Coordinates of all heavy atoms in Angstrom, one line a residue:
M9 N -9.5 -16.5 16.0 CA -8.9 -15.8 14.8 C -9.3 -14.3 14.9 O -10.5 -13.9 15.1 CB -9.5 -16.4 13.5 CG -9.2 -15.7 12.3 SD -8.4 -16.5 10.9 CE -7.1 -17.4 11.5
P10 N -8.3 -13.4 14.8 CA -8.5 -12.0 15.0 C -9.5 -11.4 14.0 O -10.4 -10.5 14.3 CB -7.2 -11.3 14.8 CG -6.2 -12.4 15.1 CD -6.9 -13.7 14.7
A11 N -9.5 -11.8 12.7 CA -10.4 -11.2 11.7 C -11.9 -11.6 12.1 O -12.8 -10.7 12.0 CB -10.1 -11.8 10.3
K12 N -12.2 -12.8 12.5 CA -13.5 -13.2 12.8 C -14.0 -12.5 14.1 O -15.2 -12.3 14.3 CB -13.6 -14.7 13.0 CG -13.5 -15.4 11.7 CD -13.7 -16.9 11.9 CE -13.5 -17.6 10.6 NZ -13.7 -19.1 10.7
A13 N -13.1 -12.0 15.0 CA -13.5 -11.3 16.2 C -13.6 -9.8 16.0 O -13.9 -9.1 16.9 CB -12.4 -11.6 17.3
G14 N -13.3 -9.4 14.7 CA -13.5 -7.9 14.4 C -12.3 -7.1 14.9 O -12.4 -5.9 15.2
L15 N -11.1 -7.7 15.1 CA -10.0 -7.1 15.7 C -9.0 -6.6 14.6 O -7.9 -6.1 15.0 CB -9.2 -8.0 16.6 CG -10.1 -8.5 17.8 CD1 -9.3 -9.5 18.6 CD2 -10.5 -7.3 18.7
V16 N -9.3 -6.7 13.3 CA -8.4 -6.2 12.3 C -8.8 -4.8 11.8 O -9.9 -4.5 11.5 CB -8.6 -7.2 11.1 CG1 -7.7 -6.7 9.9 CG2 -8.1 -8.6 11.5
D17 N -7.8 -3.9 11.9 CA -7.9 -2.5 11.5 C -7.6 -2.3 10.0 O -8.2 -1.5 9.3 CB -7.0 -1.6 12.3 CG -7.4 -1.5 13.8 OD1 -8.6 -1.6 14.0 OD2 -6.5 -1.4 14.6
E18 N -6.6 -3.1 9.5 CA -6.2 -3.0 8.1 C -5.7 -4.3 7.6 O -5.3 -5.2 8.4 CB -5.0 -2.0 8.0 CG -5.3 -0.6 8.0 CD -4.1 0.3 7.6 OE1 -3.0 -0.3 7.2 OE2 -4.3 1.5 7.7
C19 N -5.8 -4.5 6.3 CA -5.3 -5.7 5.6 C -4.4 -5.2 4.5 O -4.8 -4.5 3.6 CB -6.5 -6.5 5.1 SG -6.0 -8.0 4.2
Q20 N -3.1 -5.6 4.6 CA -2.2 -5.2 3.6 C -1.7 -6.5 2.8 O -1.3 -7.4 3.4 CB -1.0 -4.5 4.2 CG -1.3 -3.3 4.9 CD -0.2 -2.6 5.5 OE1 1.0 -2.8 5.2 NE2 -0.4 -1.7 6.5
L21 N -1.9 -6.4 1.5 CA -1.6 -7.6 0.7 C -0.5 -7.2 -0.4 O -0.6 -6.1 -1.0 CB -2.8 -8.1 0.0 CG -4.0 -8.5 0.8 CD1 -5.2 -8.7 0.0 CD2 -3.7 -9.7 1.6
F22 N 0.4 -8.1 -0.7 CA 1.2 -8.1 -1.8 C 0.8 -9.2 -2.7 O 0.9 -10.4 -2.3 CB 2.7 -8.2 -1.5 CG 3.3 -6.9 -0.8 CD1 3.2 -6.8 0.6 CD2 3.8 -5.9 -1.6 CE1 3.7 -5.6 1.2 CE2 4.3 -4.8 -1.0 CZ 4.3 -4.6 0.4
V23 N 0.4 -8.9 -4.0 CA 0.0 -9.9 -4.9 C 1.0 -10.2 -6.0 O 1.4 -9.2 -6.7 CB -1.4 -9.5 -5.5 CG1 -1.9 -10.6 -6.5 CG2 -2.4 -9.2 -4.5
W24 N 1.5 -11.4 -6.1 CA 2.5 -11.8 -7.1 C 1.8 -12.4 -8.3 O 0.9 -13.2 -8.1 CB 3.5 -12.8 -6.5 CG 4.7 -12.1 -5.8 CD1 5.9 -11.9 -6.4 CD2 4.7 -11.6 -4.5 NE1 6.7 -11.3 -5.4 CE2 6.0 -11.1 -4.3 CE3 3.8 -11.5 -3.5 CZ2 6.4 -10.5 -3.1 CZ3 4.2 -10.9 -2.3 CH2 5.5 -10.4 -2.1
P25 N 2.3 -12.2 -9.5 CA 1.6 -12.7 -10.7 C 2.1 -14.2 -10.9 O 2.7 -14.4 -12.0 CB 2.0 -11.8 -11.8 CG 3.4 -11.3 -11.3 CD 3.3 -11.2 -9.8
V26 N 1.8 -15.1 -10.0 CA 2.1 -16.5 -10.2 C 0.9 -17.3 -9.7 O 0.1 -16.8 -8.8 CB 3.3 -16.9 -9.5 CG1 4.6 -16.3 -10.1 CG2 3.3 -16.7 -8.0
V27 N 0.7 -18.5 -10.1 CA -0.3 -19.4 -9.6 C 0.3 -20.5 -8.8 O 1.2 -21.2 -9.3 CB -1.2 -20.0 -10.8 CG1 -2.2 -20.9 -10.3 CG2 -1.8 -18.8 -11.6
V28 N -0.1 -20.6 -7.6 CA 0.3 -21.7 -6.7 C -0.9 -22.3 -6.0 O -2.0 -21.8 -6.0 CB 1.3 -21.2 -5.6 CG1 2.6 -20.7 -6.2 CG2 0.6 -20.2 -4.7
G29 N -0.7 -23.5 -5.5 CA -1.8 -24.1 -4.8 C -1.4 -25.2 -3.8 O -0.2 -25.5 -3.7
G30 N -2.3 -25.6 -3.0 CA -2.0 -26.7 -2.1 C -1.5 -26.3 -0.8 O -1.0 -27.1 0.0
S31 N -1.5 -25.0 -0.4 CA -1.0 -24.6 0.9 C -2.1 -24.0 1.7 O -3.3 -24.0 1.3 CB 0.1 -23.5 0.7 OG -0.4 -22.4 0.0
E32 N -1.8 -23.5 2.8 CA -2.8 -22.8 3.7 C -3.3 -21.5 3.1 O -2.5 -20.8 2.5 CB -2.1 -22.5 5.1 CG -1.7 -23.8 5.9 CD -2.9 -24.6 6.3 OE1 -3.9 -24.0 6.7 OE2 -2.8 -25.8 6.2
P33 N -4.6 -21.2 3.3 CA -5.1 -20.0 2.8 C -4.5 -18.8 3.5 O -4.2 -18.9 4.7 CB -6.6 -20.1 3.0 CG -6.8 -21.1 4.1 CD -5.6 -22.0 4.0
G34 N -4.3 -17.7 2.8 CA -3.8 -16.5 3.4 C -4.8 -15.7 4.2 O -4.4 -14.9 5.1
L35 N -6.0 -15.9 3.9 CA -7.1 -15.2 4.7 C -8.1 -16.2 5.2 O -8.2 -17.3 4.7 CB -7.8 -14.2 3.7 CG -7.0 -13.1 3.1 CD1 -7.8 -12.4 2.0 CD2 -6.5 -12.2 4.2
P36 N -8.8 -15.8 6.3 CA -9.8 -16.8 6.9 C -10.8 -17.2 5.8 O -11.3 -16.4 5.0 CB -10.5 -16.0 8.0 CG -9.6 -14.7 8.2 CD -8.8 -14.5 7.0
T37 N -11.3 -18.4 6.0 CA -12.3 -19.0 5.1 C -13.6 -18.9 5.9 O -13.6 -18.9 7.1 CB -12.0 -20.4 4.6 OG1 -11.9 -21.2 5.8 CG2 -10.7 -20.4 3.8
G38 N -14.7 -18.9 5.2 CA -16.0 -19.0 5.8 C -16.5 -17.7 6.4 O -17.4 -17.7 7.2
M39 N -15.9 -16.6 6.0 CA -16.5 -15.3 6.5 C -16.4 -14.3 5.3 O -15.7 -14.5 4.4 CB -15.7 -14.8 7.7 CG -14.2 -14.4 7.4 SD -13.4 -13.6 8.7 CE -14.1 -12.0 8.7
R40 N -17.2 -13.3 5.4 CA -17.3 -12.2 4.4 C -17.2 -10.9 5.1 O -17.9 -10.6 6.1 CB -18.5 -12.3 3.6 CG -18.7 -11.2 2.6 CD -20.0 -11.1 1.9 NE -20.3 -9.9 1.3 CZ -19.9 -9.6 0.0 NH1 -19.4 -10.5 -0.7 NH2 -20.2 -8.4 -0.5
T41 N -16.3 -10.0 4.6 CA -16.2 -8.6 5.1 C -16.0 -7.7 3.9 O -15.1 -7.9 3.1 CB -14.9 -8.5 6.0 OG1 -15.1 -9.4 7.1 CG2 -14.8 -7.1 6.6
D42 N -16.8 -6.7 3.9 CA -16.6 -5.7 2.8 C -15.4 -4.8 3.2 O -15.3 -4.4 4.4 CB -17.9 -4.8 2.7 CG -19.1 -5.6 2.1 OD1 -18.8 -6.5 1.2 OD2 -20.2 -5.4 2.6
L43 N -14.6 -4.5 2.2 CA -13.4 -3.7 2.4 C -13.4 -2.4 1.6 O -13.9 -2.3 0.5 CB -12.2 -4.5 2.0 CG -12.0 -5.9 2.7 CD1 -10.9 -6.7 2.0 CD2 -11.8 -5.7 4.2
E44 N -12.7 -1.4 2.2 CA -12.5 -0.1 1.5 C -11.0 -0.1 1.1 O -10.1 -0.2 2.0 CB -12.9 1.0 2.4 CG -12.5 2.4 1.8 CD -12.8 3.5 2.8 OE1 -13.1 3.3 4.0 OE2 -12.6 4.7 2.3
L45 N -10.8 0.2 -0.2 CA -9.4 0.3 -0.7 C -8.8 1.6 -0.2 O -9.4 2.7 -0.5 CB -9.3 0.2 -2.2 CG -8.0 0.3 -2.8 CD1 -7.1 -0.9 -2.4 CD2 -8.1 0.3 -4.3
L46 N -7.7 1.6 0.5 CA -7.1 2.8 1.0 C -5.9 3.2 0.2 O -5.6 4.4 0.0 CB -6.6 2.6 2.5 CG -7.7 2.2 3.5 CD1 -7.0 1.9 4.8 CD2 -8.6 3.4 3.6
D47 N -5.2 2.2 -0.4 CA -4.0 2.5 -1.2 C -3.7 1.3 -2.1 O -4.0 0.2 -1.8 CB -2.8 2.7 -0.2 CG -1.6 3.3 -0.8 OD1 -1.7 3.9 -2.0 OD2 -0.5 3.2 -0.2
E48 N -3.0 1.6 -3.2 CA -2.6 0.6 -4.1 C -1.3 1.1 -4.8 O -1.1 2.3 -5.0 CB -3.6 0.1 -5.1 CG -4.0 1.2 -6.1 CD -3.2 1.2 -7.4 OE1 -2.4 0.2 -7.6 OE2 -3.3 2.1 -8.2
R49 N -0.4 0.1 -5.1 CA 0.8 0.5 -5.7 C 1.3 -0.7 -6.6 O 1.2 -1.8 -6.2 CB 1.9 0.8 -4.7 CG 3.2 1.2 -5.2 CD 4.1 1.7 -4.1 NE 5.4 2.0 -4.6 CZ 6.5 2.2 -3.9 NH1 6.4 2.1 -2.6 NH2 7.6 2.4 -4.5
R50 N 1.7 -0.3 -7.8 CA 2.1 -1.4 -8.8 C 3.6 -1.2 -9.0 O 4.1 -0.1 -9.1 CB 1.4 -1.2 -10.1 CG -0.1 -1.4 -10.0 CD -0.8 -0.9 -11.2 NE -2.3 -1.0 -11.1 CZ -3.0 -2.0 -11.4 NH1 -2.5 -3.1 -12.0 NH2 -4.3 -2.0 -11.2
F51 N 4.3 -2.4 -9.0 CA 5.7 -2.4 -9.2 C 6.0 -2.9 -10.6 O 5.2 -3.7 -11.2 CB 6.4 -3.3 -8.1 CG 6.1 -2.8 -6.7 CD1 5.0 -3.2 -6.0 CD2 7.0 -1.9 -6.1 CE1 4.8 -2.7 -4.7 CE2 6.8 -1.4 -4.8 CZ 5.7 -1.8 -4.1
R52 N 7.2 -2.6 -11.1 CA 7.6 -3.0 -12.4 C 7.6 -4.5 -12.6 O 7.5 -5.0 -13.7 CB 8.9 -2.4 -12.8 CG 8.8 -0.9 -13.2 CD 10.0 -0.4 -13.8 NE 11.0 -0.1 -12.7 CZ 12.2 0.1 -12.9 NH1 12.8 0.0 -14.1 NH2 13.0 0.4 -11.9
N53 N 7.9 -5.3 -11.6 CA 8.0 -6.7 -11.7 C 6.6 -7.4 -11.7 O 6.5 -8.6 -11.7 CB 8.9 -7.3 -10.6 CG 8.3 -7.1 -9.2 OD1 7.3 -6.4 -9.0 ND2 9.0 -7.6 -8.2
G54 N 5.5 -6.6 -11.6 CA 4.2 -7.1 -11.7 C 3.5 -7.3 -10.3 O 2.3 -7.6 -10.3
V55 N 4.2 -7.1 -9.2 CA 3.7 -7.2 -7.9 C 2.8 -6.0 -7.7 O 3.1 -4.9 -8.1 CB 4.8 -7.3 -6.8 CG1 4.2 -7.2 -5.4 CG2 5.6 -8.5 -7.0
V56 N 1.6 -6.2 -7.0 CA 0.7 -5.2 -6.7 C 0.5 -5.2 -5.1 O 0.3 -6.2 -4.5 CB -0.7 -5.4 -7.3 CG1 -1.7 -4.3 -7.0 CG2 -0.5 -5.4 -8.8
Y57 N 0.7 -4.0 -4.6 CA 0.4 -3.8 -3.1 C -1.0 -3.2 -2.9 O -1.3 -2.2 -3.6 CB 1.5 -2.8 -2.6 CG 1.1 -2.2 -1.2 CD1 1.2 -3.0 -0.1 CD2 0.7 -0.9 -1.1 CE1 0.9 -2.5 1.2 CE2 0.4 -0.4 0.2 CZ 0.5 -1.2 1.3 OH 0.2 -0.7 2.5
L58 N -1.8 -3.8 -2.1 CA -3.1 -3.4 -1.8 C -3.3 -3.2 -0.3 O -2.9 -4.0 0.5 CB -4.1 -4.4 -2.3 CG -4.0 -4.7 -3.8 CD1 -4.9 -6.0 -4.1 CD2 -4.5 -3.6 -4.6
R59 N -3.9 -2.1 0.1 CA -4.1 -1.8 1.5 C -5.6 -1.5 1.7 O -6.2 -0.6 1.1 CB -3.3 -0.6 2.0 CG -3.4 -0.3 3.4 CD -2.4 0.8 3.8 NE -3.1 1.7 4.8 CZ -3.1 3.0 4.7 NH1 -2.5 3.6 3.8 NH2 -3.8 3.7 5.7
Y60 N -6.3 -2.3 2.6 CA -7.7 -2.2 2.8 C -8.0 -2.0 4.3 O -7.2 -2.3 5.1 CB -8.4 -3.5 2.4 CG -8.4 -3.8 0.9 CD1 -7.5 -4.6 0.4 CD2 -9.4 -3.3 0.1 CE1 -7.5 -4.9 -1.0 CE2 -9.4 -3.6 -1.3 CZ -8.4 -4.4 -1.8 OH -8.5 -4.7 -3.1
R61 N -9.2 -1.5 4.5 CA -9.7 -1.5 5.9 C -11.2 -2.0 5.8 O -11.9 -1.8 4.8 CB -9.6 -0.2 6.6 CG -10.7 0.8 6.2 CD -10.8 1.9 7.1 NE -11.6 3.0 6.5 CZ -11.4 4.2 6.6 NH1 -10.4 4.7 7.3 NH2 -12.2 5.1 5.9
P62 N -11.6 -2.8 6.8 CA -13.0 -3.3 6.9 C -13.9 -2.1 6.9 O -13.7 -1.1 7.7 CB -13.0 -4.1 8.1 CG -11.6 -4.4 8.5 CD -10.8 -3.3 8.0
L63 N -15.0 -2.1 6.2 CA -16.0 -1.1 6.3 C -16.7 -1.1 7.6 O -16.9 -2.2 8.2 CB -17.0 -1.2 5.1 CG -16.5 -0.8 3.7 CD1 -17.6 -1.1 2.7 CD2 -16.1 0.6 3.7
G64 N -17.2 0.0 8.1 CA -17.9 0.0 9.3 C -17.0 0.3 10.5 O -17.4 0.2 11.7
Q65 N -15.7 0.6 10.2 CA -14.7 0.8 11.3 C -14.3 2.3 11.3 O -14.2 2.9 10.3 CB -13.5 -0.1 11.3 CG -13.9 -1.5 11.7 CD -12.6 -2.3 11.9 OE1 -11.5 -1.9 11.9 NE2 -12.9 -3.6 12.2

C-alpha cells in the first residue's frame, strides 16, 4: 500500500453530505498520519473539497 510505504505526497478528498456504509474504506486502516491542510473549497450542493499533505514531507 503506497500510504503505508510513505509514497503519498498529497491526499485530495471530496466529501459528500450523505451517510453510506458496508463498502471498502477509502483510506488505509490501521495507520495514523498527521496531515497539513493545503486547500479547501465548499460547493453550493454541500460537497467539500479537501487537499492535505502528510506532515514531515
